[in-house]
Amino acid sequence: MTAALEMVDVSKTFPLARRLTHPGRREVHAVSHVDLTLHRGKITAVIGESGSGKSTIARLMAQLYKPTSGQIKLDGKPVEVRNGRQLRKYVGDVQLILQDPFGSFNPVHTIEYALRRAVTIHHGKLPASELDARVGALLEEVRLTPPRQFTAKYPHELSGGQRQRISIARALAASPTVLLADEPVSMLDVSIRLGVLNLLERLVTERDLALLYITHDIASARYFASTASVMYAGELVEGGPAEAVTQKPAHPYTKLLIDSAPDPGKAPADRIKDNGQPPSLISPPTGCRFHPRCPFAMPRCSTEAPPRFDLGAGQWARCWLHSSSKE
Ligand code: SF4
């Protein structure tokens, strides 16, 4: 299967301002050596806590940040975005959907204006009748019907779920092949999250899109994604088919994420013990970054970074527990 969008060994650091108390060069290691592939017609989840670097992955893939090292490939070709024209062409293929749609709309313009503008940016000037038809079709595609009930409204007149549907429609206006959805339902009421996830799932099938689904909610990743990767302190620590990663986790951190989800049926003794907090990304721990929190840590865990161990059926984990030579 050909990859639609790929990250190959991508790292991203952000330099920090020097201070009297810290005169040396310091940087935030937001993303370290990430390999991630999105395929058309598939949903790929990246799961992690706040501050784990998962949103930085979406922004790197959207070309809002340049990688410090590594490569991003679109349809197998390295992405080179050096000017506005190249960026416009790229965002025609790769669209980003943000967590808070309200912040990405101009509050003084109507929905019709926002969608007409998106169509014009990506497809050039069209006759008014064709523009209207395209706007109507986009609204129908995200199930905001009849379209005329929504075109004259302003963003503040819509519910959170309707606004997120409009932001999905605006992304579709570009006719992309890849959608990057950064926590697309986490700001919505629980009762309407499922409807938006179902919409995205339908669009992936109907338009043969590659979808990146960034989330902190491991349960929704299991329901929604075909493959899943788990991120901890800027690194991907486990990946594979979503069912395997969420049902038979191989990395202690994935197990901790699952055990942290509310489950009245699970006894406290059956849950993994959490020994602390996520580390600073300015000076991440040596060896396995999870070792200060891990109840299974061994001496080598604090000095040697575990490689990726393949566990069969597409699942893998970076954890010395899967090495044949444990110490
Ligand atoms: Fe725990 Fe060691 Fe595995 Fe890291 S490598 S998750 S510290 S057992």
Side-chain angles (χ1 to χ4, degrees), residues 107-287:
V108 304
H109 290 308
T110 62
I111 300 310
E112 181 176 37
Y113 177 91
L115 293 180
R116 276 173 156 249
R117 186 164 184 271
V119 172
T120 305
I121 284 173
H122 295 287
H123 301 285
K125 219 165 176 323
L126 298 172
S129 58
E130 190 178 341
L131 204 46
D132 287 345
R134 289 210 188 194
V135 167
L138 286 168
L139 288 169
E140 280 180 8
E141 200 170 359
V142 298
R143 301 291 188 262
L144 291 177
T145 53
R148 64 180 175 283
Q149 267 192 14
F150 297 91
T151 46
K153 292 203 164 158
Y154 289 87
H156 73 272
E157 296 179 296
L158 301 174
S159 69
Q162 289 170 338
R163 270 198 297 270
Q164 195 58 296
R165 283 172 189 262
I166 297 286
S167 89
I168 293 168
R170 186 175 56 181
L172 295 178
S175 308
T177 54
V178 179
L179 281 184
L180 310 170
D182 186 5
E183 299 262 20
V185 296
S186 59
M187 288 185 73
L188 306 182
D189 291 342
V190 174
S191 58
I192 52 177
R193 287 180 187 176
L194 192 58
V196 173
L197 289 181
N198 285 339
L199 166 66
L200 287 169
E201 190 175 36
R202 178 171 59 75
L203 293 171
V204 165
T205 306
E206 289 178 359
R207 287 188 170 236
D208 195 28
L209 295 168
L211 176 66
L212 174 68
Y213 175 54
I214 304 264
T215 184
H216 64 274
D217 176 12
I218 197 163
S220 71
R222 181 185 163 212
Y223 157 79
F224 184 51
S226 50
T227 57
S229 296
V230 178
M231 187 146 202
Y232 182 74
E235 295 179 330
L236 293 184
V237 295
E238 178 167 2
E243 180 81 12
V245 170
T246 56
Q247 292 298 98
K248 292 185 184 157
H251 194 283
Y253 176 63
T254 313
K255 189 154 178 12
L256 175 65
L257 274 182
I258 292 167
D259 284 358
S260 306
D263 181 357
K266 197 171 232 178
D270 296 335
R271 295 172 188 264
I272 192 171
K273 188 166 169 284
D274 186 5
N275 291 331
Q277 298 289 320
S280 158
L281 293 181
I282 299 172
S283 51
T286 54

Side-chain angles (χ1 to χ4, degrees), residues 251-252 288 290-291 294 296-298 301 306 318-321:
H251 194 283
C288 169
F290 189 55
H291 84 259
C294 181
F296 308 107
M298 300 167 273
C301 299
R318 291 185 196 279
C319 172
W320 287 120
L321 290 173

